């Protein structure tokens, strides 16, 4: 089911399963694979609505189709009409919801797409100046086909009551999830054995709850309903293989120490090689488009990493056998 055809919250929940499997590619790179085929690019981008990426890539694909039809001197009004509707739908949500203190996209993503696409889009009232996805070239084509509009606005400004209803539904869903988390915490607290000498201390019971098995929402509250501030985690420092001391002053290094030094240096060299391969792969993916050559290079790098890992295990096992 397309985002435009969604009617219920059940359709919203099934939206994620309807999206294509991108494998090891990111969403943007998965869409850009079809950059040369504008029609296919538009079809794939539609599967990622209502994400901003889906709107942006759909509009880019439609612009490419319009350019091709202009060169062939073919009418492109249908593509321009679709482009304008995408820009209008994207203007329904604000950047930030002041009522809920949440990003506007969260509320927009929670709404069924059919509620947005069912709105009447009138060019004379909506215009084009306040639509973020409309550029200067698009505006010239719109004026060429439909003339200059009477005013310029957004769907968010034209349908404020519908947006307020969407905020209320989203707030209700948040309350329901929080209540479910509180009930789960209470049930787990009751099933835990009471601590001796402190049978009425609910905070002690809440601290006895296991960290595993709780949802992300329930971890934010204790059994009394108070918010638990997450503890800030310090970034872990990078660990590098430590080189063993070769020998004490005035003593010759033993064969065991020599072997440990060589093994440590080999491990350090393998780690540096792995990091260099990863850096090179990331740089290639950023500077060039994903194609067959890049995929083959990635697979060869993975094979090389596997060989390095196996060789390190063999050397490490041999070292252990010699030290026994």
């Amino acid at each position: 089911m397309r985002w435009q055809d969604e009617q219920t919250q059940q359709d919203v929940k099934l939206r994620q399963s309807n999206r294509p499997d991108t494998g090891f590619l990111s969403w943007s790179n998965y869409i850009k694979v079809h950059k040369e085929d504008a029609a296919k690019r538009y079809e794939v981008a539609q599967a990622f609505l209502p994400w901003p990426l889906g709107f942006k890539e759909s509009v880019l694909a439609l612009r490419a189709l319009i350019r091709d039809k202009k060169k062939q001197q073919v009418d492109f009004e249908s593509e321009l009409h679709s482009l304008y509707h995408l820009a209008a739908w994207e203007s329904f949500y604000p950047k930030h919801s002041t009522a809920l203190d949440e990003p506007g996209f969260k509320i927009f993503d929670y709404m069924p797409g059919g509620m947005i696409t069912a709105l009447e889009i009138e060019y004379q009232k909506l215009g084009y100046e306040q639509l973020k996805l409309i550029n200067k070239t698009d505006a010239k084509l719109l004026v060429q086909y439909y003339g200059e509009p009477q005013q310029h606005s957004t769907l968010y400004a034209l349908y404020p009551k519908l947006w307020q209803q969407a905020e209320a539904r989203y707030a209700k869903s948040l309350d329901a999830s929080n209540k479910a988390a509180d009930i789960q915490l209470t049930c787990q607290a009751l099933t835990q054995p009471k601590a001796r000498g402190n049978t009425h201390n609910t905070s002690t019971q809440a601290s006895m709850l296991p960290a595993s098995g709780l949802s992300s929402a329930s971890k934010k509250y204790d059994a009394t309903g108070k918010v638990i501030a997450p503890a800030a985690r310090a970034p872990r420092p990078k660990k590098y293989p430590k080189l063993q001391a070769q020998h004490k002053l005035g003593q010759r290094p033993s064969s065991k120490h020599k072997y440990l030094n060589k093994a440590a240096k080999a491990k350090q060299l393998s780690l540096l090689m792995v990091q260099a391969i990863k850096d090179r792969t990331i740089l290639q993916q950023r500077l060039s488009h994903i194609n067959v050559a890049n995929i083959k290079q990635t697979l060869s790098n993975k094979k090389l990493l596997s060989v390095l890992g196996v060789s390190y295990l063999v050397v490490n096992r041999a070292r252990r056998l010699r030290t026994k």
Side-chain angles (χ1 to χ4, degrees):
M1 178 182 292
R2 300 186 310 162
W3 171 77
Q4 294 91 324
D5 302 328
E6 294 174 353
Q7 298 297 329
T8 63
Q9 292 301 137
Q10 188 65 26
D11 297 336
V12 176
K13 293 180 181 179
L14 295 175
R15 182 190 298 159
Q16 185 66 31
S17 60
N18 294 333
R19 292 197 173 101
D21 183 14
T22 61
F24 60 88
L25 295 177
S26 62
W27 301 318
S28 58
N29 288 333
Y30 180 80
I31 299 174
K32 289 177 182 177
V33 168
H34 309 285
K35 187 175 181 180
E36 303 302 327
D37 188 352
K40 183 64 176 178
R41 184 181 185 181
Y42 175 75
E43 180 184 349
V44 174
Q46 287 287 289
F48 291 91
L49 293 176
W51 291 345
L53 172 73
F55 280 104
K56 179 182 176 182
E57 292 293 334
S58 297
V59 168
L60 291 174
L62 287 172
R63 285 186 187 136
L65 290 172
I66 290 174
R67 286 195 298 269
D68 293 340
K69 289 196 172 184
K70 284 179 70 176
K71 291 178 181 179
Q72 300 172 7
Q73 297 182 353
V74 180
D75 183 65
F76 52 84
E77 185 177 0
S78 62
E79 286 77 13
L80 184 64
H81 182 268
S82 299
L83 189 152
Y84 183 74
H85 275 68
L86 285 170
W89 295 336
E90 195 268 345
S91 71
F92 179 76
Y93 69 95
K95 186 175 182 180
H96 187 78
S97 172
T98 55
L100 301 180
D101 194 20
E102 291 277 355
F105 173 73
K106 282 190 175 181
I107 304 168
F108 183 70
D109 187 52
Y110 185 73
M111 299 177 62
M115 295 180 63
I116 311 299
T117 57
L119 299 176
E120 182 181 2
I121 297 177
E122 204 172 331
Y123 174 74
Q124 293 300 325
K125 293 182 180 180
L126 193 61
Y128 56 83
E129 285 186 357
Q130 297 186 28
L131 304 182
K132 293 185 296 183
L133 294 180
I134 299 295
N135 61 16
K136 293 183 179 179
T137 304
D138 303 332
K140 289 181 181 179
L141 295 175
L142 289 170
V143 173
Q144 177 183 341
Y145 268 86
Y146 308 114
E148 196 66 36
Q150 297 176 1
Q151 64 180 27
H152 299 278
S153 183
T154 60
L155 288 184
Y156 170 70
L158 294 178
Y159 297 95
K161 292 184 178 179
L162 185 60
W163 176 254
Q164 293 171 4
Q165 293 173 3
E167 286 179 325
R169 283 193 299 271
Y170 184 76
K172 188 176 180 181
S173 69
L174 291 179
D175 292 339
S177 62
N178 290 337
K179 287 180 181 178
D182 293 340
I183 292 172
Q184 185 180 7
L185 276 173
T186 305
C187 293
Q188 291 181 355
L190 292 174
T191 56
Q192 289 291 332
K194 295 183 179 179
R196 294 181 180 179
N198 191 11
T199 57
H200 300 286
N201 192 352
T202 56
S203 61
T204 305
Q205 293 177 0
S207 63
M208 294 169 62
L209 295 178
S212 61
L214 299 181
S215 64
S216 59
S218 63
K219 289 180 182 178
K220 299 178 183 177
Y221 300 88
D222 59 12
T224 61
K226 295 182 180 179
V227 179
I228 299 174
R233 294 183 179 180
R236 294 182 179 179
K238 275 190 174 182
K239 293 184 179 180
Y240 295 97
K242 296 181 180 179
L243 298 177
Q244 301 288 339
Q246 291 185 359
H247 59 280
K248 294 182 180 179
L249 186 63
Q251 296 180 0
R252 293 185 61 185
S254 62
S255 59
K256 178 181 178 181
H257 288 161
K258 287 182 179 180
Y259 182 78
L260 289 176
N261 289 335
K262 289 181 180 179
K265 289 181 180 180
K267 181 179 179 181
Q268 190 173 19
L269 179 61
S270 63
L271 289 176
L272 292 174
M273 291 177 65
V274 169
Q275 188 62 37
I277 292 173
K278 288 182 179 179
D279 294 341
R280 186 183 66 179
T281 305
I282 294 172
L283 184 61
Q284 287 180 349
Q285 290 180 353
R286 289 181 178 177
L287 295 179
S288 62
H289 299 296
I290 297 297
N291 52 28
V292 178
N294 296 130
I295 295 174
K296 289 183 178 179
Q297 184 65 32
T298 303
L299 294 176
S300 63
N301 289 343
K302 288 184 177 179
K303 185 176 180 181
L304 180 58
L305 292 177
S306 301
V307 173
L308 287 174
V310 172
S311 61
Y312 171 71
L313 291 176
V314 172
V315 172
N316 195 19
R317 185 174 180 181
R319 179 181 65 81
R320 289 180 181 177
L321 294 175
R322 291 185 180 181
T323 54
K324 286 183 179 180

